[in-house]
Amino acid sequence: MGIKVAKFGGSSVADAIQINKIKNIVDADETRKYIIVSAPGKRFDNDSKVTDLLYSCMMHKEHNLPFDHLFQVIWDRFKALAMNLKVGGDIDREFEIIKESINQGTTHDYLASRGEYLNGKLIAEFLGMEFVDAAQVIKFDNRGKFLLEETNEALKERLKNIDKALIPGFYGAKPDGSIKTFSRGGSDITGALVARAVNAEVYENWTDVSGFLMADPRIIDNPEPIEFISYSELRELAYMGASVLHEDAIYPAKVGNIPINIRNTNLPDDKGTIISDDLSKCQSRVVTGIAGNKDFTVLAIFKNRLSQERGFIRRMAGILEDMDIPLEHMPSGIDTLSIVMQTSSIDGRIDELVERVENELKVDRVEVVDNIALVATVGSGMSSRLGVSAKLFTALAEAKINIRMIDQGSSEINIITGVENKDFERAVKAIYDAFHEEKISR
Ligand code: ASP
């Protein structure tokens, strides 16, 4: 029987009620052997995440503001947790050590990591599992660069003789032992690393939603759940704003060929979404998901015989690089090239950009189009299938939505349409209505 690695996110470990739910989940399956936890997250809408409170303490300290009150809030929260779970005899001692380290000028990373560290200790005791400090097994180099293979080896070595272990997420250590964290939401990465190291049958990522939905539920009522999604489809959807999982969690799972199963701690019977390349055969729909974002600016460049000119795109990209403006998409025609950027990244410098393009590239005309939204229609079932784009564009035309731009990557799993911001929600709806029932015929 294979091993399961289960990572529980902030909302799943926010208080004793949630932690009791995770105990039931862990106890229900003997093969759930390695558990990764986040720091306690929000218990209700206006609540604070422990990690945010810890960062905030550090900011207070740096600005010479009193932080005792804030620190006490975190301390009390852990004390209540320990009391309700009937564990954590040495919690006060741990807090004294942490407070002392703040007074001695500790780092942001050390302090931020304490949420996962303390929560890990309490939950390990509650579940009766061995606590393995991530500082011993998640490796960074002296400059803080994450070391994937060293970590894999260290995890393998450490876990090989431990039947059941709990590892706190989000942090590791540099060779001198100083703590280094991943970026926010990084416990997902720890989970994927552990899953790869123990060659898990599945990496379960437990959160507060039952996986991915075909579209944003704020736009579509009750969208269909996504049962299976490939890593590349997920990359495309995540890039366009559909986020449940930290982006960097995908790579370790992908190289280890470990499927990721997004599950809901509050509805443990839901199957959730399975992310895996092998399972793309199981996908039943032509379109897997629809996601998008508003507020892009398009620079449409016209130049006679543009396609014949050597180095044009390189020089264009050079201007963007020089101005530090990321390029999102670049659809092109025979004598035209469109540059799609996030409006916020231009930061009031559009006139400068246009002037540089006109002067340095000697173009015939440049047009600036603002207030563009991009909608990505993603599905590996779309590739080499006739009529998908026709159906998509017909749906938009019937909804009387003007398409300002089209971009289809060469992988054919994503068609991006640019529409006006005001039409964004209607465009998502039109595409959803056209495709949500369309199954792949085998
Ligand atoms: N606690 C960290 C955060 O809030 C890491 C995590 O939960 O994954 O970002």
Side-chain angles (χ1 to χ4, degrees), residues 7 10 38-39 49 51 116 170 183-188:
K7 177 256 165 182
S38 282
K49 296 180 176 183
T51 312
E116 270 71 11
F170 190 41
S183 57
R184 294 299 305 266
S187 301
D188 284 343

Side-chain angles (χ1 to χ4, degrees), residues 269-298:
D269 293 333
D270 284 2
K271 286 201 220 118
T273 299
I274 296 191
I275 311 162
S276 161
D277 280 341
D278 291 345
L279 287 157
S280 55
K281 311 175 209 47
C282 306
Q283 279 167 331
S284 57
R285 283 197 206 93
V286 174
V287 166
T288 305
I290 304 153
N293 273 318
K294 286 185 180 172
D295 295 328
F296 290 88
T297 297
V298 181

Side-chain angles (χ1 to χ4, degrees), residues 298-425:
V298 181
L299 201 68
I301 300 169
F302 303 85
K303 182 170 189 180
N304 195 23
R305 301 180 66 76
L306 186 152
S307 55
Q308 311 280 314
E309 196 170 316
R310 297 280 177 273
F312 188 89
I313 291 180
R314 178 180 49 76
R315 280 180 284 137
M316 178 66 234
I319 297 176
L320 292 173
E321 193 178 340
D322 211 33
M323 292 182 69
D324 198 21
I325 301 174
L327 166 65
E328 301 290 329
H329 296 280
M330 193 170 50
S332 61
I334 303 296
D335 287 335
T336 62
L337 182 73
S338 295
I339 304 292
V340 185
M341 301 151 289
Q342 279 183 26
T343 309
S344 58
S345 68
I346 303 170
D347 200 17
R349 296 172 295 159
I350 192 70
D351 292 342
E352 183 188 339
L353 178 60
V354 171
E355 207 177 296
R356 285 194 63 173
V357 170
E358 281 171 348
N359 293 341
E360 294 171 35
L361 301 176
K362 307 272 177 291
V363 300
D364 298 336
R365 189 158 51 91
V366 179
E367 264 174 33
V368 178
V369 189
D370 274 326
N371 297 319
I372 292 294
L374 299 182
V375 183
T377 306
V378 175
S380 35
M382 302 192 313
S383 64
S384 17
R385 195 183 161 90
L386 290 176
V388 174
S389 3
K391 186 163 179 178
L392 193 152
F393 300 132
T394 307
L396 292 175
E398 278 172 0
K400 306 221 172 344
I401 294 168
N402 188 10
I403 303 175
R404 304 296 301 252
M405 185 204 96
I406 300 167
D407 196 6
Q408 181 176 24
S410 47
S411 63
E412 280 190 58
I413 68 162
N414 189 1
I415 301 176
I416 295 179
T417 34
V419 299
E420 286 170 31
N421 269 348
K422 67 171 176 44
D423 291 332
F424 174 66
E425 285 80 5

Side-chain angles (χ1 to χ4, degrees), residues 109-144:
D109 284 24
Y110 168 79
L111 193 60
S113 73
R114 295 305 87 182
E116 270 71 11
Y117 170 82
L118 292 170
N119 215 23
K121 282 208 132 178
L122 297 182
I123 299 175
E125 193 182 336
F126 183 64
L127 297 178
M129 285 186 165
E130 182 165 342
F131 174 80
V132 172
D133 190 350
Q136 295 165 2
V137 280
I138 306 290
K139 307 272 182 193
F140 291 84
D141 72 8
N142 284 323
R143 292 181 166 164

